[in-house]
Amino acid sequence: MKKNTIGLMGLGTMGGNLARNIASKGFSISLFNRHPEKVDAFLKTHQEKNLYGYHDLAQFVDSLERPRKIILMVPAGAPVDETLTQLVDFLKPGDIVIDGGNSYFKDTIRRQEALKRANIHFIGAGVSGGEEGALKGPSIMIGGEKSACKEVAPILKKIAAKDFVGGTCGGYMGAGGAGHYVKMIHNGIEYAIMQMIAESYSLLKTHYKLSNELIAEFFEACNDGKLNGYLVEIVPGVLRKRDGKKYLVDLILDSAKNKGTGKWTSQEALDVGIPLSSITQAVFARYLSTDKKLRTELAKVSPRKATKPGIPLETFLQNLEDALHGAFLMAYAEGLHLLQKADKEYGFKLDMGEAIRVWQGGCIIRSKLLKDLTEAKNEIAKSHFLMSKTAAKKLASVEKAWTAVLQESLSARIPTPALTAAMQYYQSMTSAQLPANLIQGMRDFFGAHTYERTDKPGIFHADWNS
């Protein structure tokens, strides 16, 4: 009996669409779900070629050609470990398990080490693009043992989206948990860009009193220009959606949820010692948004007085587009700087250019701005995006407008934490002198923590009371 090419466990929206994508590319795929009725319902709804369902786990595994290749599309955390516990007894040496969920990269490394003892390969594959991307072509960030990744690459690359020159947005990120690490960075950047867009919407709606339609037209113009990208593209659709006679967005509670990847990114930045200003502020903004009751009470204590805009609307819209341009670039720069440091910290042996390239299509942060990052990939690999001529030219051209937007938001008391943090990151990273010398003096004063000097080498401590 002919065996199937690959298996997939977990028929949620992402898993189901990924299975259909794989089947549409000519690969026969075995399907399993812990609730057998979901397999039956899926096959009844999707009667395409190459889809084969199984209720029994042993039969599911046995249906696959060797070495067996099985994709897990189950929720991150304990469900992955539980699935592996059930699955491992049916696997043989050389078989390959691919975790396509949003798993924490250190969990991926732990699972790789555990399965390695049984000579079973475990790959962490970050998959981005949402349910539409899973079906039509996601960005796939593959990480793990190189030989195992090569074994599954022909399938994963064929189902992935296309980059700017028609290549595949499926790529090998590096060893260990590199695939899930790159996906984590992707999600952190996503947090920042979404928050920056939301802050811009708030300025236009609250301060300039624009209608949802006019704000939608602004973002359409941005998407037709230099800010072209998926997250900007979807804003008009969100703003125009109606629920009866009212706009749906006006009925949605201003309390944003998160699934943890943004938090992991910020925690990781603290662990390896890299500033992640706008991304972390975006994470904090979501946490702050959930404290709706307290915010409502405090708004009564410190009411915001309406102020008239200090910048004409047409000029402000031009400034805001420039501010978003600069802020978006800083979000990418922050994430890539952390990725560069992590590469050294964890020995991923990452190709930074490849990480940037696979974000060009399919994923949530795909954007025309990635062309700038692609041009600067050599500088990014060696040092920082801000070292490139591209960055210097782009940011110099928008800094004045960006500053004007932030000044307007401050005078109107409309919070813009991510837009502001991105500017502070840019200004700080391009400052040769920061006031940390005073901090070091204070630390040595109260705690004898020592300091270094600019005029001679060594570690010093002063008698501050003499």
Side-chain angles (χ1 to χ4, degrees):
M1 182 177 177
K2 186 180 177 182
K3 304 286 187 178
N4 293 327
T5 307
I6 194 167
L8 184 141
M9 300 178 70
L11 289 172
T13 302
M14 283 288 289
N17 279 358
L18 200 66
R20 293 174 63 200
N21 185 352
I22 293 169
S24 72
K25 300 301 187 296
F27 301 106
S28 57
I29 180 168
S30 300
L31 306 174
F32 182 86
N33 197 84
R34 63 192 180 103
H35 300 296
E37 63 273 14
K38 282 199 84 168
V39 177
D40 296 337
F42 181 81
L43 292 175
K44 185 177 180 181
T45 304
H46 307 291
Q47 299 181 13
E48 295 126 273
K49 293 180 180 179
N50 301 321
L51 295 171
Y52 302 89
Y54 297 87
H55 290 181
D56 181 79
L57 186 56
Q59 292 178 350
F60 163 77
V61 174
D62 188 56
S63 71
L64 300 171
E65 64 185 24
R66 299 285 306 275
R68 300 182 182 97
K69 296 171 280 290
I70 299 172
I71 300 174
L72 306 185
M73 294 300 293
V74 299
V80 177
D81 290 317
E82 291 165 6
T83 302
L84 286 173
T85 299
Q86 296 166 4
L87 180 63
V88 71
D89 288 340
F90 299 100
L91 300 178
K92 300 292 184 183
D95 288 346
I96 303 166
V97 180
I98 306 133
D99 179 6
N102 268 338
S103 288
Y104 184 44
F105 79 101
K106 288 185 178 178
D107 286 340
T108 299
I109 294 171
R110 169 177 58 80
R111 290 164 185 148
Q112 287 171 340
E113 293 301 317
L115 290 176
K116 189 175 182 180
R117 291 191 284 270
N119 199 23
I120 295 167
H121 306 289
F122 188 80
I123 292 171
V127 179
S128 177
E131 56 184 274
E132 182 178 358
L135 180 62
K136 298 180 179 179
S139 170
I140 306 178
M141 295 145 262
I142 311 166
E145 189 178 342
K146 201 162 191 176
S147 61
C149 290
K150 281 185 176 180
E151 188 74 34
V152 302
I155 300 171
L156 299 184
K157 287 184 175 183
K158 195 165 184 180
I159 66 170
K162 300 299 182 185
D163 64 20
F164 292 154
V165 294
T168 176
C169 285
Y172 179 67
M173 298 295 100
H180 279 142
Y181 199 101
V182 174
K183 177 56 166 42
M184 179 186 74
I185 297 293
H186 165 286
N187 284 24
I189 296 168
E190 175 188 314
Y191 270 60
I193 292 175
M194 291 178 72
Q195 179 64 28
M196 292 163 182
I197 289 171
E199 291 168 12
S200 303
Y201 155 79
S202 179
L203 282 166
L204 295 176
K205 191 171 184 69
T206 306
H207 190 43
Y208 279 84
K209 311 297 182 185
L210 296 192
S211 67
N212 288 355
E213 178 59 36
L214 288 176
I215 300 173
E217 289 177 7
F218 165 72
F219 281 105
E220 280 180 331
C222 289
N223 192 56
D224 288 339
K226 57 191 176 185
L227 298 184
N228 174 266
Y230 177 72
L231 286 170
V232 174
E233 175 190 322
I234 66 174
V235 174
V238 175
L239 289 171
R240 288 181 172 133
K241 177 69 175 176
R242 289 182 180 268
D243 185 355
K245 293 183 178 180
K246 296 184 177 181
Y247 287 101
L248 179 57
V249 71
D250 296 334
L251 302 174
I252 297 175
L253 183 68
D254 59 328
S255 178
K257 303 295 190 294
N258 71 90
K259 290 188 175 180
T261 47
K263 178 184 73 174
W264 294 343
T265 311
S266 294
Q267 287 177 330
E268 183 61 18
L270 290 169
D271 286 344
V272 302
I274 288 292
L276 209 69
S277 305
S278 66
I279 292 173
T280 300
Q281 282 299 328
V283 175
F284 285 157
R286 291 204 190 183
Y287 291 163
L288 197 151
S289 76
T290 63
D291 214 341
K292 174 70 172 179
K293 183 179 178 181
L294 178 59
R295 288 191 290 112
T296 303
E297 292 171 353
L298 291 174
K300 296 174 184 176
V301 177
S302 301
R304 178 189 296 127
K305 294 180 181 180
T307 59
K308 291 184 178 180
I311 303 174
L313 175 60
E314 186 176 348
T315 302
F316 185 78
L317 292 177
Q318 294 171 353
N319 288 347
L320 186 56
E321 184 176 11
D322 283 343
L324 286 170
H325 189 183
F328 286 2
L329 284 175
M330 287 304 92
Y332 286 113
E334 290 173 25
L336 289 168
H337 194 204
L338 174 56
L339 192 56
Q340 183 200 56
K341 181 66 179 290
D343 184 36
K344 298 175 182 175
E345 186 84 7
Y346 302 110
F348 291 148
K349 297 182 180 178
L350 180 74
D351 182 338
M352 294 292 290
E354 183 71 353
I356 295 167
R357 188 191 64 77
V358 299
W359 290 344
Q360 291 179 2
C363 70
I364 304 301
I365 64 169
R366 63 184 187 264
S367 166
K368 182 190 287 186
L369 295 179
L370 285 162
K371 289 183 178 179
D372 296 335
L373 297 166
T374 301
E375 289 174 6
K377 66 181 181 180
N378 292 333
E379 289 85 354
I380 292 169
K382 295 175 185 176
S383 177
H384 195 285
F385 173 61
L386 289 171
M387 289 293 292
S388 70
K389 291 181 180 179
T390 298
K393 184 178 179 181
K394 297 278 185 183
L395 292 161
S397 71
V398 302
E399 185 173 6
K400 184 177 179 180
W402 190 358
T403 301
V405 168
L406 298 181
Q407 289 172 337
E408 191 72 22
S409 71
L410 281 170
S411 65
R413 280 194 66 202
I414 294 175
T416 54
L419 287 171
T420 303
M423 170 63 87
Q424 292 296 325
Y425 176 82
Y426 167 55
Q427 292 180 339
S428 296
M429 289 297 288
T430 54
S431 294
Q433 182 69 36
L434 293 172
N437 53 324
L438 179 59
I439 292 173
Q440 283 298 85
M442 294 166 70
R443 291 179 73 242
D444 193 55
F445 186 103
F446 66 70
H449 292 296
T450 72
Y451 54 87
E452 296 173 272
R453 296 175 61 119
T454 59
D455 57 344
K456 53 186 174 182
I459 304 297
F460 299 90
H461 167 62
D463 182 359
W464 296 96
N465 294 311
S466 64

